[in-house]
Amino acid sequence: MELKEFILLLARKKVTIFFIVIIFLILALILSLIKPFKYGASSQALVIQNSGNSDPYAISKSAEYLSNILAKIIYSNSFFNSVLDSGYFIDKNYFGSTVRQQMKTWNKTVSAKAINDSGIISLNIYHTDRAQAELINRAVVYTLQTKHGLYHGGGEVAIKVIDEPITSSYPVQPNLILNFGLALVLGLIFSLSYIHLFPEEKYDIKLAPKFTALATDTGLLEKLELAPAVEPIEEISEQLTAEFNENLNKLANGNSDNYDDLDFHGEVAQPGSMKNIFGKPSSDNL
């Protein structure tokens, strides 16, 4: 398919493209709403190794190694228990009662990684309660500073906080901007692929049926059983027309025997003048 033909196809299939993109955005909204909204607390800690070695490269590689080890240790069960016992009043019920539940929730709560070869550990905590997110972040940093010697044999090591915990004012998970942006891109890719593979009109996705199609679709009227209702209406109309013509002829012929209940019975009995019907006759016609 040439580019010009594809552009014309885009113009003709714009409703289909719009409908598919809307579906993807709705799915992104649903997936975002079913997840709990969480606040984020972020901080950074620097691993410093005090050794007699004067080689900067060796010191840097040692700090990088230790930061990677400690970043992985944060996810362990023993480190988790040390954080709960750090005295920062962390809600233990949030993580569940079994070890499996605790580790599953803990891995969703904490995010720690070593930044390249700098020896810096970037720490992010996500929690449904803003205050708890900051408390857990501080507890993790405190546990690193006081218990790091249990997880390595690298000699004299110090953990220095270079960025104090910063807690978000609004939930950062789920990331709505990222989710909707990804849904928009995927929706466009899917819709373009769809119209390219199925360019025929019968594969178009329409938001509503055409009005002209409904008007000319006689089979639809039969399915809805609307046709039988036409005959009684026509019969009633013909009957009313016949009665009206009959009564009009009686008035024209002066036959008013059947109209005794009319106040102007005597006035309409005289033929030959329209005033007898529409107005009171003058004295000349009496």
Side-chain angles (χ1 to χ4, degrees):
M1 182 180 296
E2 297 182 356
L3 179 60
K4 184 177 180 180
E5 295 178 354
F6 187 71
I7 293 176
L8 294 176
L9 183 63
L10 289 178
R12 186 169 59 86
K13 299 277 190 176
K14 57 185 178 181
V15 176
T16 301
I17 296 174
F18 174 78
F19 189 78
I20 294 176
V21 171
I22 288 297
I23 291 177
F24 273 79
L25 292 177
I26 293 175
L27 291 176
L29 178 62
I30 294 175
L31 293 177
S32 298
L33 293 179
I34 62 177
K35 295 182 178 180
F37 287 86
K38 296 182 179 181
Y39 295 88
S42 60
S43 63
Q44 287 186 336
L46 176 63
V47 179
I48 303 174
Q49 184 175 27
N50 299 321
S51 63
N53 194 342
S54 59
D55 185 1
Y57 179 77
I59 295 175
S60 174
K61 296 301 291 183
S62 178
E64 178 185 358
Y65 169 77
L66 290 174
S67 63
N68 279 288
I69 290 295
L70 293 175
K72 294 178 181 179
I73 289 297
I74 292 176
Y75 295 97
S76 66
N77 180 255
S78 61
F79 191 90
F80 167 73
N81 291 325
S82 297
V83 170
L84 294 182
D85 297 334
S86 60
Y88 276 85
F89 304 103
I90 298 174
D91 183 12
K92 299 179 181 181
N93 296 326
Y94 176 78
F95 299 96
S97 57
T98 65
V99 176
R100 182 185 296 273
Q101 291 176 346
Q102 290 173 352
M103 288 297 94
K104 182 178 180 180
T105 307
W106 178 248
N107 289 333
K108 293 180 179 180
T109 301
V110 65
S111 174
K113 63 179 181 179
I115 301 178
N116 299 329
D117 57 350
S118 61
I120 297 176
I121 298 177
S122 176
L123 180 64
N124 291 280
I125 303 297
Y126 304 100
H127 200 283
T128 55
D129 184 83
R130 186 174 182 271
Q132 282 288 306
E134 183 172 346
L135 286 175
I136 295 174
N137 194 300
R138 294 185 181 276
V140 170
V141 174
Y142 173 79
T143 305
L144 280 176
Q145 291 176 323
T146 58
K147 301 291 183 67
H148 64 83
L150 300 175
Y151 306 104
H152 67 84
E156 187 178 354
V157 177
I159 308 294
K160 181 178 179 59
V161 179
I162 58 177
D163 284 326
E164 291 290 336
I166 300 175
T167 309
S168 63
S169 301
Y170 303 96
V172 295
Q173 285 189 347
N175 193 331
L176 297 180
I177 297 178
L178 177 62
N179 291 349
F180 282 112
L182 185 61
L184 180 62
V185 173
L186 293 178
L188 288 174
I189 294 175
F190 184 85
S191 61
L192 294 179
S193 302
Y194 179 83
I195 65 174
H196 178 73
L197 295 175
F198 306 100
E200 293 85 358
E201 186 176 356
K202 63 180 180 180
Y203 295 110
D204 289 357
I205 301 177
K206 300 180 178 62
L207 295 177
K210 294 182 179 180
F211 178 77
T212 54
L214 288 176
T216 57
D217 189 2
T218 55
L220 180 61
L221 294 177
E222 294 176 358
K223 293 177 182 178
L224 295 177
E225 298 181 354
L226 294 179
V230 176
E231 294 181 0
I233 295 176
E234 293 179 350
E235 292 177 358
I236 293 173
S237 177
E238 293 176 356
Q239 182 178 359
L240 292 175
T241 303
E243 292 179 357
F244 176 80
N245 292 331
E246 182 181 355
N247 294 333
L248 187 62
N249 292 331
K250 290 181 180 180
L251 290 175
N253 296 328
N255 185 3
S256 58
D257 295 339
N258 297 327
Y259 298 91
D260 294 337
D261 57 334
L262 297 178
D263 294 339
F264 51 92
H265 162 235
E267 298 174 351
V268 299
Q270 299 184 21
S273 175
M274 293 300 293
K275 294 181 179 181
N276 293 332
I277 299 176
F278 297 103
K280 186 176 181 180
S282 61
S283 58
D284 297 336
N285 295 328
L286 293 177

